[in-house]
Amino acid sequence: MIALVVTIALALVGYVAAYLNGLRLAQRGERLARVNRQLSDLYGPLFAITEANSRAFEAFAQHHLRPDGRSPFDHEEPPTDEELAEWRLWVTTVFLPNIRTMRDLVVTHADLLREPHMPPILLQLCAHVSGYEITVARWAQGQFDQHLSVVPFPSQELADYARGGFTALKAAQGRLLGRPRSAD
């Protein structure tokens, strides 16, 4: 009789242990799937397009410096018509498509944010895009009195946010996959 009770107790303990282990593995799998989606659908593309846009802007800025080494937009003398025409070309073909992509990533994948609320930096990004859309619409009508968005672009803050989110999620992904921590 005691042997039967011990056998049943051991079987029950084994079943509970297997159930709890399966539950733990399922939860880990769900966490990994979410982290993978966050990386592939939001933070990875946001980081990549933010970096690409930043590098394109740096290239534009370096190529279009005035002889004194300063930007036409950061100068006592206003930009020339040629400088403004070049700026409009870069905005419409490079910068606006990039920032629209960033905005669209945020809007369509807000459920993948790491935070429980919408970060103010992302709201500023969305407002900046809207501000440039009206500016570009005016350009299409031949109105060239404005050349910037009414909301400043949060360049460094957005780059830090995207890089920080991507890096943290890659680390979490590595832990969930059981990879040892790297020295860098």
Side-chain angles (χ1 to χ4, degrees), residues 119-129 151-154:
I121 196 71
L122 298 181
L123 295 174
Q124 185 174 352
L125 166 67
C126 293
H128 175 76
V129 173
V151 178
F153 184 62

Side-chain angles (χ1 to χ4, degrees), residues 36-171:
N36 286 342
R37 277 200 62 227
Q38 286 175 301
L39 283 167
S40 67
D41 295 351
L42 179 58
Y43 288 93
L46 183 62
F47 177 55
I49 197 74
T50 300
E51 286 293 314
N53 193 65
S54 175
R55 291 173 189 196
F57 183 80
E58 287 173 17
F60 167 83
Q62 285 299 314
H63 190 262
H64 294 91
L65 291 177
R66 288 197 171 163
D68 65 1
R70 293 175 30 209
S71 164
F73 292 101
D74 185 28
H75 210 275
E76 298 83 31
E77 293 180 36
T80 65
D81 288 342
E82 294 80 23
E83 289 169 330
L84 291 174
E86 187 68 12
W87 174 250
R88 289 190 299 270
L89 179 64
W90 276 78
V91 167
T92 56
T93 58
V94 178
F95 303 133
L96 187 57
N98 285 347
I99 62 175
R100 278 180 175 152
T101 300
M102 292 177 210
R103 182 220 29 219
D104 293 348
L105 285 167
V106 169
V107 170
T108 59
H109 299 293
D111 62 312
L112 297 175
L113 290 171
R114 296 181 314 141
E115 303 85 356
H117 61 281
M118 180 65 70
I121 196 71
L122 298 181
L123 295 174
Q124 185 174 352
L125 166 67
C126 293
H128 175 76
V129 173
S130 295
Y132 250 122
E133 286 175 332
I134 193 66
T135 299
V136 170
R138 286 186 179 126
W139 294 346
Q141 296 174 344
Q143 298 175 23
F144 302 115
D145 57 326
Q146 297 291 319
H147 281 84
L148 303 173
S149 173
V150 294
V151 178
F153 184 62
S155 179
Q156 189 58 54
E157 298 89 348
L158 183 61
D160 293 344
Y161 176 82
R163 182 180 299 104
F166 180 79
T167 302
L169 287 166
K170 286 301 285 182

